[in-house]
Amino acid sequence: MKLNEIKDNEGARHRKMRVGRGIGSGKGKTSGRGGKGQTARTGVRINGFEGGQTPIHRRLPKRGFTNHMRHEYEVVNLSALQKAVDDGKLDAKKPIDLEALKKAGLVRKAATEVKLLAKGTISAKISLSVNFASESAKAAIEKAGGTLTLPAAPAAA
């Protein structure tokens, strides 16, 4: 076999249909686009247009409400903290803050605020700094001999 003898497999290359070249071509006059109107034009397409029928986004009722003032935070349970200490992911002797919780994999890397909840038990004596904590979680940490630091509440105006 020589370079000048190489050719494509049968049917590998297909010629593009030339449209608008007379009625005898099979794709003359309207070039396969049908009659007049929006679909016959090029570059025009109204999203959601259903040919005059009321579009589905207008037929379906609106539901719900999105609160743009919503306060989002990551949740950490006491049982997760105890497991991380037991597994060696958290050092109970060092202060535990947001960065330590991220490194231990207890909160997402994008987390900015953490809330401590009292699901489970804790026996490790830890020094923890979080943004929010439930009353029962505070009591459990203090009962285990640890300390819980929360940011000071903003003064009422």
Side-chain angles (χ1 to χ4, degrees):
M1 176 176 273
K2 299 182 183 101
L3 285 176
N4 66 331
E5 293 173 354
I6 296 173
K7 65 177 191 172
D8 281 329
N9 293 332
E10 195 64 37
R13 292 167 68 94
H14 187 72
R15 281 186 61 196
K16 181 176 174 260
M17 171 65 77
R18 296 179 71 219
V19 296
R21 292 295 181 270
I23 198 166
S25 70
K27 284 279 189 278
K29 194 183 168 203
T30 54
S31 304
R33 287 175 173 261
K36 299 181 250 182
Q38 184 182 29
T39 54
R41 312 287 185 250
T42 182
V44 181
R45 194 177 111 249
I46 300 171
N47 280 336
F49 184 70
E50 296 183 21
Q53 170 178 294
T54 305
I56 192 162
H57 64 85
R58 287 185 57 204
R59 289 197 304 263
L60 296 176
K62 292 191 284 185
R63 288 269 191 267
F65 164 75
T66 303
N67 183 3
H68 68 279
M69 298 292 284
R70 180 178 174 178
H71 200 77
E72 291 196 20
Y73 45 80
E74 290 282 315
V75 172
V76 176
N77 287 306
L78 291 177
S79 57
L81 277 176
Q82 184 62 49
K83 187 173 184 329
V85 170
D86 293 343
D87 293 346
K89 292 180 181 177
L90 286 175
D91 187 4
K93 293 176 180 66
K94 292 183 182 174
I96 298 170
D97 59 352
L98 179 63
E99 291 306 314
L101 292 171
K102 285 181 182 180
K103 285 181 184 171
L106 293 176
V107 295
R108 292 178 298 140
K109 294 207 186 297
T112 55
E113 293 185 326
V114 178
K115 182 169 185 173
L116 181 67
L117 296 181
K119 186 175 182 183
T121 58
I122 189 157
S123 57
K125 183 179 176 182
I126 58 174
S127 174
L128 186 65
S129 174
V130 292
N131 302 88
F132 310 98
S134 66
E135 291 298 322
S136 48
K138 286 180 197 175
I141 292 280
E142 289 165 3
K143 184 181 175 189
T147 58
L148 180 64
T149 311
L150 299 172

